[in-house]
């Protein structure tokens, strides 16, 4: 059956189309919302340094792992493993699919908050009392309705197909995000808090890193995987629509660089805003504080209403260009495996995921635990398995695939393979150990459900 459906597989219309789609997946709430606030929570510039190292040294090589599997397999992330002759590893693709479902369920709830904040910026309704506004839109019927709208848009884009939906939407959204963020960053330089914000953001205190190694590394590594959409099978799915003449290292490099620039840029927008109205402390902490702190700042700044509106529109584009990639993982699997139509599948999977997300509209405690569970546990495990698989079980095929369509030399491939065999697994095991310890401490001290 698989071969019948394989014949109709779409491919990206152009190299840049693939890059936009993959950047769209990578650039999301993780860059613009979570990154500045994780930085604020974990000691400012110290976190930034560890995060950048994690992206370059572990994230980039891991992205190439997913690309190699996807393009070689030319199938959805579960069947790709079988196509390349290692069917017993399909569960790794399945694990990513599971993480995608779970993540989209909650991602869409937060996407719904963003929709409410766009409306709130237009009407000015959060300016008076940002805390109460957040409470009203993040839980209860408003949250459910906004979650439904966000999911409906996601379903609509995915139903239109890989080129007609995903590629077309991201080719519009990514340039828009870049232009608007640069504009916001330029505006932020004029704020009174700008210098203090930049200092906090950019002057690392290496003592802080040394003393807090165990608490900085797991979130930094988790953030690196999450922001690059690694461990979710998303990049396997996207690379499966690639042509042979694309250079995987060059495309991967471009995607990592643009994604990192967007996160850095988001910091240049958020920190001046926070320091103009108080400081970073108000923003460190759980999911909601970020929305409350920013909304509070917009309420107190000149032109805050229009700036707030633009900021949340950027956040919406970023969230949507990511959510479509999360939905594409189950949709690609179900359409290829069972032969159902894409549109029907997108609706059915989307509705199911919507229902899974509904409990997260009851309150935000759950979201914090869920976040840590994915960041500190599921993602590192998936990445560890991927690295062991490619490094030790499919190394010859992987080296061959990495070289196709690319001019990288043999030494790049050799170093990559060695790195994937040794450095990546060791780094991930250390992270996993530290992360599980932190999760356990959090659970037993009642930090989540206390
Ligand atoms: N990378 C996205 C972000 O930073 C999140 C995401 C993860 C999207 C996994 C797709 C897959 O927000």
């Amino acid at each position: 059956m698989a071969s019948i459906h394989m014949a109709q597989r779409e491919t990206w219309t152009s190299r840049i189309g693939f890059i936009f789609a993959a950047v769209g997946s990578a650039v999301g709430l993780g860059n613009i919302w979570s990154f500045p606030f994780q930085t604020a929570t974990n000691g400012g510039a110290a976190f930034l340094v560890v995060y950048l190292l994690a992206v370059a040294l572990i994230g980039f090589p891991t992205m190439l792992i997913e690309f190699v599997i996807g393009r070689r397999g030319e199938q959805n992330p579960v069947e790709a493993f079988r196509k390349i002759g290692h069917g017993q590893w399909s569960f790794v693709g399945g694990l990513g699919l599971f993480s995608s479902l779970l993540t989209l369920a909650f991602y869409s709830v937060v996407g719904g908050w963003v929709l409410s904040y766009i409306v709130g910026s237009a009407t000015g309704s959060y300016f008076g009392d940002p805390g109460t506004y957040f409470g009203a839109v993040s839980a209860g019927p408003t949250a459910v309705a906004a979650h439904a709208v966000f999911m409906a848009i996601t379903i609509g884009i995915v139903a239109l197909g890989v080129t007609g939906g995903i590629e077309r939407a991201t080719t519009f959204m990514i340039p828009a995000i870049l232009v608007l963020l640069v504009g916001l960053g330029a505006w932020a330089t004029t704020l009174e808090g700008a210098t203090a914000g930049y200092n906090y953001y950019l002057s690392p205190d290496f003592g802080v890193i040394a003393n807090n190694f165990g608490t900085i590394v797991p979130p930094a590594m988790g953030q690196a995987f999450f922001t690059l959409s690694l461990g979710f099978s998303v990049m396997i799915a996207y690379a499966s629509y690639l042509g042979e003449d694309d250079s995987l290292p060059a495309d991967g490099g471009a995607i990592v660089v643009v994604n990192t620039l967007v996160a850095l840029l988001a910091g240049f927008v958020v920190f001046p805003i926070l320091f103009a109205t108080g400081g970073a402390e108000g923003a460190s902490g759980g999911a909601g504080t970020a929305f409350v702190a920013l909304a509070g700042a917009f309420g107190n700044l000149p032109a805050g209403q229009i700036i707030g509106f633009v900021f949340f529109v950027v956040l919406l584009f970023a969230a949507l260009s990511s959510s479509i990639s999360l939905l594409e993982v189950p949709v690609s699997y179900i359409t290829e495996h069972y032969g159902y139509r894409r549109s029907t599948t997108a609706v059915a999977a989307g509705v199911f995921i919507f229902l899974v997300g509904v409990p997260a509209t009851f309150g935000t405690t759950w979201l914090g635990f869920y976040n840590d569970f994915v960041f500190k546990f599921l993602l590192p495990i998936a990445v560890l398995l991927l690295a062991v698989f490619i490094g030790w079980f499919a190394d010859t095929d992987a080296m061959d695939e990495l070289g196709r369509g690319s001019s990288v030399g043999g030494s790049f491939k050799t170093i990559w393979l060695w790195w994937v065999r040794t450095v990546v697994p060791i780094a991930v095991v250390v992270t996993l150990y530290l992360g599980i310890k932190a999760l356990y401490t959090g659970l037993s001290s009642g930090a989540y459900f206390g």
Side-chain angles (χ1 to χ4, degrees):
M1 186 165 70
S3 60
I4 301 171
H5 304 294
M6 233 176 60
Q8 314 154 344
R9 280 194 123 244
E10 288 186 84
T11 49
W12 306 108
T13 54
S14 67
R15 178 172 176 211
I16 195 76
F18 164 66
I19 292 181
F20 274 143
V23 166
S25 173
V27 167
L29 296 171
N31 303 58
I32 300 172
W33 172 54
S34 164
F35 166 72
F37 294 99
Q38 294 243 20
T39 308
T41 310
N42 292 298
F47 175 83
L48 179 64
V49 171
V50 180
Y51 163 76
L52 289 176
L53 287 174
V55 164
L57 299 180
I58 310 297
F60 174 58
T62 304
M63 178 170 287
L64 296 182
I65 297 178
E66 293 209 15
F67 280 0
V68 161
I69 298 172
R71 187 169 71 176
R72 189 75 157 191
E74 282 188 297
Q75 279 288 300
N76 63 79
V78 180
E79 263 132 20
F81 288 86
R82 184 157 48 241
K83 257 296 274 316
I84 55 182
H86 297 274
Q88 67 280 26
W89 286 84
S90 301
F91 75 95
V92 181
L95 179 66
L97 194 152
F98 174 74
S99 300
S100 289
L101 290 179
L102 207 62
T103 302
L104 181 53
F106 297 89
Y107 207 82
S108 170
V109 171
V110 181
W113 301 353
V114 177
L115 282 171
S116 298
Y117 273 88
I118 292 180
V119 176
S121 306
T123 59
S125 46
Y126 61 65
F127 291 160
D129 187 350
T132 308
Y133 186 81
F134 178 74
V137 302
S138 65
T142 314
V144 178
H147 169 40
V149 173
F150 184 89
M151 189 60 94
I153 304 173
T154 303
I155 292 172
I157 298 174
V158 172
L160 287 173
V162 172
T163 52
I166 296 175
E167 186 173 337
R168 194 181 306 158
T170 49
T171 305
F172 162 73
M173 289 192 281
I174 295 306
I177 291 172
L178 291 174
V179 170
L180 294 177
L181 259 190
V182 170
L184 287 173
W187 167 83
T189 60
T190 65
L191 292 174
E192 230 174 89
T195 316
Y198 298 146
N199 275 340
Y200 177 77
Y201 181 36
L202 298 175
S203 332
D205 178 344
F206 290 100
V208 173
I209 305 184
N211 293 333
N212 300 283
F213 191 74
T215 48
I216 290 184
V217 168
M221 198 81 112
Q223 174 67 15
F225 294 144
F226 187 79
T227 189
L228 293 171
S229 306
L230 299 173
F232 293 86
S233 298
V234 164
M235 292 301 175
I236 300 181
Y238 272 16
S240 76
Y241 304 118
L242 261 181
E244 282 184 19
D245 44 2
D246 275 87
S247 162
L248 299 182
D251 288 8
I255 293 159
V256 169
V257 167
V258 176
N259 180 64
T260 306
L261 286 179
V262 171
L264 292 176
L265 203 52
F268 279 101
V269 175
V270 167
F271 285 106
I273 293 179
L274 293 179
F275 276 83
T277 55
E281 286 68 36
S284 64
T289 37
F291 278 85
V292 177
L294 274 177
F298 291 137
N300 288 317
L301 291 172
Q305 184 159 8
I306 172 96
I307 295 292
F309 182 80
V310 173
F311 180 84
F312 287 115
V313 166
V314 169
L315 204 52
L316 177 69
F317 285 167
L320 277 172
S321 64
S322 295
S323 63
I324 55 181
S325 72
L326 287 165
L327 185 57
E328 178 60 22
V329 175
V331 167
S332 70
Y333 174 65
I334 297 169
T335 50
E336 282 175 355
H337 190 77
Y338 299 100
Y340 294 137
R341 283 180 35 193
R342 169 171 278 271
S343 48
T344 321
T345 310
V347 173
V351 169
F352 172 75
I353 295 169
F354 165 78
L355 293 174
V356 175
V358 167
T361 63
F362 300 162
T364 53
T365 335
W366 229 92
L367 212 71
F369 171 70
Y370 158 76
N371 216 55
D372 280 357
F373 182 64
V374 170
F375 269 54
K376 293 179 180 158
F377 191 66
L378 283 185
L379 295 189
I381 288 197
V383 171
L384 179 62
L385 289 167
L386 286 168
V388 169
F389 169 62
I390 283 296
W392 297 94
F393 293 87
D395 46 337
T396 325
D397 280 350
M399 292 270 277
D400 179 52
E401 189 59 44
L402 190 68
R404 279 210 297 156
S406 124
S407 56
V408 292
S411 49
F412 178 89
K413 292 197 289 181
T414 314
I415 294 173
W416 173 73
L417 185 67
W418 179 80
W419 200 262
V420 164
R421 279 187 166 174
T422 55
V423 180
V424 174
I426 293 170
V428 176
V429 166
V430 171
T431 312
L432 205 57
Y433 167 73
L434 294 171
I436 291 176
K437 220 168 85 172
L439 262 182
Y440 178 76
T441 316
L443 273 175
S444 50
S445 69
Y448 300 107
F449 306 107

